[in-house]
Amino acid sequence: MDVQSALTGAYSTSSASSSKGTTQLRTADNNQIGGAATSTAESTKDTLSLSTLAASLKGPSLDLFNKLKQNERALLGDLVDSGKVTGDDVNNALMGSLKQARRSSFATGSMMFETQNSNLFARADSVTADEMLKATDNTLARRKELVSRLGELEKNGQGGSDDYSAVLRALSGMEPGADPRGSGRVNGPPRSTRIVSPYTMNLGDQRFQQSGAEEAASNKLKEAGVSLSALSDAARGIAEDDVAGIVKEEASRMANAMGRNGG
């Protein structure tokens, strides 16, 4: 993906509108033409002002940048132009926010898997590969549904509604009617040590761990007035997709191991 083109795309609508307005006003009086020209110049300046930032954004950071609201993108561009932060600071902070969102998605996804599939943990020694794979697919499908619902509520300006809070609780594994892990088994046999959840994380996995530079950049942006929670919210959908891929890969590996062991 061409970085400058991707960022310029975010402003294409306003630029096209300004250009069209200038063409239509060429037959009007000079004042009108001057006003349209100023509008076009400002639109061009908006695009050009992101050139320094555009050169610094890479891969996932660019994807996250394009998920931000227009005013949030403009703020980051202005901060880079002013010298308060660098393009690398923005790139690192965005990457750090994405990693944090992945950790959150992984942790809450693990809790949801357990609450939705407590029966698997109750009889872990006899769980088959097919049962584990089906439970994984069901959990990931439910999370995708919930994230989509959050997006709809946010788009409709219902970010602070009771429905929104309920969806967030469900994403955290606290969905009404879910059976917490271990419930009803307090006096039962010891829990098996056999792993039946694909939500197993390598603590050294760099896809989840912020680097020192990323953490420092996040603090720098926060001090400059950037809402880190806004970055995290924008990263949620990307993080959920990333984690779904990681979990599916682990589930496949576990299924193969279960198959070799007759499970």
Side-chain angles (χ1 to χ4, degrees):
M1 176 186 292
D2 179 72
V3 175
Q4 181 64 51
S5 296
L7 286 173
T8 301
Y11 294 85
S12 60
T13 301
S14 61
S15 296
S17 176
S18 296
S19 298
K20 180 179 179 182
T22 303
T23 301
Q24 291 176 335
L25 289 171
R26 290 190 187 282
T27 58
D29 60 45
N30 290 335
N31 288 335
Q32 288 177 311
I33 294 175
T38 299
S39 177
T40 303
E42 290 175 351
S43 178
T44 302
K45 180 177 181 296
D46 286 342
T47 300
L48 294 178
S49 70
L50 288 171
S51 59
T52 303
L53 178 55
S56 300
L57 298 180
K58 306 173 185 68
S61 294
L62 176 59
D63 293 338
L64 176 50
F65 180 85
N66 286 326
K67 291 286 186 181
L68 298 175
K69 296 176 182 177
Q70 184 173 351
N71 64 306
E72 294 165 348
R73 296 195 300 268
L75 172 60
L76 292 174
D78 289 344
L79 288 173
V80 171
D81 278 350
S82 70
K84 292 181 180 178
V85 302
T86 67
D88 285 340
D89 287 332
V90 175
N91 182 74
N92 287 334
L94 290 173
M95 195 66 245
S97 292
L98 181 53
K99 288 180 177 181
Q100 282 188 322
R102 286 176 185 155
R103 286 203 304 275
S104 176
S105 170
F106 197 94
T108 56
S110 177
M111 185 177 297
M112 178 180 285
F113 183 91
E114 295 185 12
T115 56
Q116 287 192 343
N117 303 288
S118 58
N119 61 314
L120 297 188
F121 294 90
R123 55 182 187 82
D125 290 333
S126 62
V127 171
T128 67
D130 286 344
E131 288 176 321
M132 182 273 297
L133 289 173
K134 181 178 180 180
T136 300
D137 288 343
N138 288 343
T139 298
L140 294 177
R142 179 56 177 158
R143 292 192 70 79
K144 185 172 183 178
E145 176 188 339
L146 290 169
V147 171
S148 177
R149 177 59 179 156
L150 274 186
E152 292 174 1
L153 290 170
E154 289 170 348
K155 184 178 179 179
N156 295 330
Q158 296 177 276
S161 66
D162 290 341
D163 285 348
Y164 191 85
S165 297
V167 175
L168 285 178
R169 285 195 299 273
L171 272 172
S172 297
M174 296 184 288
E175 197 157 11
D179 184 18
R181 180 175 177 173
S183 67
R185 297 189 290 113
V186 175
N187 298 318
R191 191 180 74 196
S192 171
T193 58
R194 186 178 185 226
I195 297 175
V196 294
S197 171
Y199 282 87
T200 56
M201 182 191 294
N202 179 348
L203 296 180
D205 192 329
Q206 294 304 305
R207 292 172 293 185
F208 297 96
Q209 304 304 321
Q210 271 187 307
S211 67
E214 289 164 352
E215 186 174 355
S218 295
N219 291 333
K220 190 172 182 181
L221 260 63
K222 182 178 180 180
E223 292 173 358
V226 175
S227 169
L228 297 186
S229 62
L231 302 187
S232 297
D233 289 345
R236 183 186 289 115
I238 299 175
E240 287 286 340
D241 288 342
D242 291 346
V243 169
I246 294 169
V247 170
K248 286 180 180 178
E249 182 179 341
E250 178 61 15
S252 178
R253 186 197 67 77
M254 290 174 60
N256 288 334
M258 288 178 174
R260 289 194 299 271
N261 295 323

